[in-house]
Amino acid sequence: MIVLLLFCFGFNAALAVLAPVVTLNDGNKMPIFALGTGRGTAKETESLEDVKQAVIWAIEAGYRHIDTASIYGDEEQVGQGIAEAIAKGLVTRQEMFVTTKLWSDRHARDQVVPALKESLKRLGLDYVDLYLIHFPSAVDDEGKPLNISYLETWKGMEDAKRQNLTKSIGISNFNAAQVYDFLDDEHGIRPAVNEVEVNPTHAQEVLISHCINLGIAVMGYSPFGYMVSRKSANAPPPRFDDPLITELAAKYKKTPAQIVLNWLYSRDVIPVAKSVNKKRIAENIDIFDFRLNDEEIAAIAKFDKNLRVIDFKDWKGYPYYPFDY
Ligand SMILES: NC(=O)c1ccc[n+]([C@@H]2O[C@H](COP(=O)([O-])OP(=O)(O)OC[C@H]3O[C@@H](n4cnc5c(N)ncnc54)[C@H](OP(=O)(O)O)[C@@H]3O)[C@@H](O)[C@H]2O)c1
Ligand SMILES: *[C@@H]1O[C@H](CO)[C@@H](O)[C@H](O)[C@H]1NC(C)=O
Ligand SMILES: *[C@@H]1O[C@H](CO)[C@@H](O)[C@H](O)[C@H]1NC(C)=O
């Protein structure tokens, strides 16, 4: 019995894959693979309870970074999953890295700290590791555009960091010109992260190189782009059975999904991949035993069409809309 238990324990430990860590520009360390919990691709059969279970399976598989947002409506379930994993002794709070995001209806400086406190309450945490401005444009309670500069919102983000409600602060969906705005203020805190869409049809070569050169880490969301549930008959390639992707999968003895995720990792982008399936959760993080070479990176980048799966197109024309250029 004891032998069997030891065997099981060793076997599980061997299966878990811990992602490497990157040191952010503020000195904090971030695991370079995150579980996505956004609901954009959730099937009708998927419930919020599945998010809690996914978080627990992810932690068992070695994930130490969870990505959520107030607008996802699942911070409570994310918090429950983390709490259960801690209670089971799988992990400590200090070992976990939790990212959440400020929604656009709370962009006035004095709304930021209260919004984060509400997120923390839902998460059941007394701090998050990373708090992001989810989108550069501001809206009112009814979703109508407001002309609030994200530099004003940023002052609120700095307040939150100063109050130790978050270890790091960053931005999401900001374009390169907007990223440069944060460098003008000599006394301000530089964003630690910009979380943006990165996948084969939206390679983001220019934005990523700007951010990395400025010491701003890039988290890549929707890494599977049009390869998964949003695909339609006329969606652009690649598919998981694309010859280039399957050839690389054979070469590295990996799955096509792992090749796509590794393409982000090999470009120093931190993948944020969503799954609520136990097997796919474990598959997705198991990408750190190889790196694609420069030619292979470039070959996958040839799929780039500067085409987004997340375009917030209803907000086109709102002040600070980021996707016009
Ligand atoms: N900052 C932002 O504005 C923003 C915007 C969008 C997303 N995000 C974040 O990024 C995360 C990921 O993006 P996403 O949810 O849009 O899409 P995604 O991670 O690219 O794709 C998720 C879809 O892929 C499927 N899938 C996962 N692993 C797979 C595998 N190994 N093989 C085949 N299919 C697989 C999932 O189904 P199963 O669950 O059934 O496995 C789901 O349908 C979000 O959850 C969210 O945390 C942030
Ligand atoms: C938004 O505010 C800025 C600066 O206060 C101003 O220059 C700009 O014209 C305003 N835009 C709109 C659409 O009101
Ligand atoms: C935040 O944490 C730092 C480091 O532990 C501490 O020195 C500081 O007093 C804390 N600030 C607040 C407002 O709690």
Side-chain angles (χ1 to χ4, degrees), residues 35-43 46 67-68 72 101 134 172-173 195 220-225 228-230 240 255 257 272-277 280 283-284 309-310 312:
L35 178 76
T37 63
R39 313 280 298 150
T41 59
K43 294 180 277 292
E46 268 174 59
D67 180 87
T68 184
Y72 300 165
K101 312 185 192 87
H134 203 142
S172 178
N173 295 300
E195 179 177 315
Y221 74 67
S222 302
F224 299 126
V228 289
S229 53
R230 4 176 137 73
F240 282 128
T255 67
V272 186
K274 177 266 177 186
S275 179
V276 293
N277 173 279
R280 289 191 286 278
E283 172 187 343
N284 290 348
V309 297
I310 307 284
F312 285 85

Side-chain angles (χ1 to χ4, degrees), residues 140-205:
D140 66 16
D141 289 341
E142 284 153 17
K144 300 214 173 65
L146 283 179
N147 192 11
I148 302 176
S149 160
Y150 42 75
L151 293 178
E152 181 192 331
T153 313
W154 191 247
K155 300 273 177 242
M157 300 293 281
E158 293 174 328
D159 296 337
K161 178 166 161 119
R162 239 175 267 120
Q163 293 181 31
N164 294 336
L165 300 172
T166 181
K167 299 230 183 230
S168 296
I169 50 177
I171 53 185
S172 178
N173 295 300
F174 281 60
N175 67 38
Q178 293 173 331
V179 170
Y180 276 92
D181 281 345
F182 289 84
L183 312 182
D184 293 343
D185 182 359
E186 281 181 12
H187 305 293
I189 300 169
R190 184 175 292 210
V193 166
N194 189 12
E195 179 177 315
V196 298
E197 179 177 334
V198 183
N199 52 55
T201 36
H202 197 55
Q204 295 269 39
E205 288 178 312

Side-chain angles (χ1 to χ4, degrees), residues 87-104:
K88 280 183 174 172
L90 293 172
V91 80
T92 63
R93 171 65 186 97
Q94 292 69 35
E95 287 166 344
M96 289 302 299
F97 191 102
V98 181
T99 296
T100 194
K101 312 185 192 87
L102 174 78
W103 187 238
S104 292

